[in-house]
Amino acid sequence: MSETHPELAAWLARQEADFPAWAEATGTAETWDFSPASLDTLELLVRDRYADMHAVNTDRHSTFVQVAQWYIGEVARRVNDGADWYAFPPDPAAPPGAPGSPQSVWTGTPRVALGPAVETPRVLPLNALRALLVEPDEDDDEETAAELGGPLRDAVTLKA
């Protein structure tokens, strides 16, 4: 693993420690083998638990969502050679809305990528969870609709 920001390292350790109880609580403990196929079960659990992406946002700090993010990221890290965990640490000098600024939803949000740069191909586990529950508008083209939703197993492929 690359040099990890202390807050990210603490988050990763917390999710790894919470994972066994989380797996048992899902009622499907035997499923969680860090394979892309195991994400099908997570997808069903998320769709059953949340009505829409706003419900995921509301529950984003819960153990369920936090460990689910970690699990998606761990699958992505394991299937994408050279991928690792990153997060944009808070940066008081970052322009408003930019990664690192207090206004950016991505400041501190863990991601799996091939490097720390913003443009680096990446998987945003929280976004993958939220995207499961987005219904594309009629005005969305096929490419946009594909970005907004789809199976979790597709989400673990690194994207620029």
Side-chain angles (χ1 to χ4, degrees):
M1 185 173 284
S2 65
E3 184 176 329
T4 305
H5 189 276
E7 288 175 22
L8 176 59
W11 183 86
L12 292 168
R14 191 169 48 254
Q15 304 329 306
E16 187 172 6
D18 288 347
F19 174 68
W22 177 92
E24 283 295 323
T26 68
T28 58
E30 69 286 347
T31 302
W32 310 111
D33 62 2
F34 297 95
S35 69
S38 68
L39 295 172
D40 294 346
T41 300
L42 181 55
E43 182 173 337
L44 292 172
L45 291 169
V46 170
R47 290 180 186 279
D48 186 53
R49 188 176 186 112
Y50 299 106
D52 56 32
M53 73 174 215
H54 302 292
V56 173
N57 290 344
T58 299
D59 205 34
R60 115 182 234 182
H61 298 291
S62 71
T63 299
F64 181 84
V65 172
Q66 292 292 301
V67 176
Q69 283 184 80
W70 173 81
Y71 187 81
I72 293 165
E74 278 300 299
V75 172
R77 191 180 64 78
R78 294 168 193 219
V79 301
N80 292 285
D81 193 35
D84 208 347
W85 284 100
Y86 297 92
F88 295 110
D91 178 2
S101 73
Q103 299 86 4
S104 174
V105 68
W106 300 115
T107 299
T109 300
R111 67 191 184 350
V112 173
L114 293 176
V118 173
E119 306 80 26
T120 304
R122 68 214 171 264
V123 172
L124 299 163
L126 178 60
N127 222 28
L129 285 175
R130 294 170 68 243
L132 286 174
L133 303 166
V134 171
E135 292 295 327
D137 293 67
E138 290 179 11
D139 297 334
D140 289 334
D141 61 28
E142 287 183 28
E143 183 177 327
T144 302
E147 286 177 22
L148 292 176
L152 276 179
R153 68 167 68 201
D154 291 348
V156 296
T157 303
L158 292 177
K159 297 175 179 109

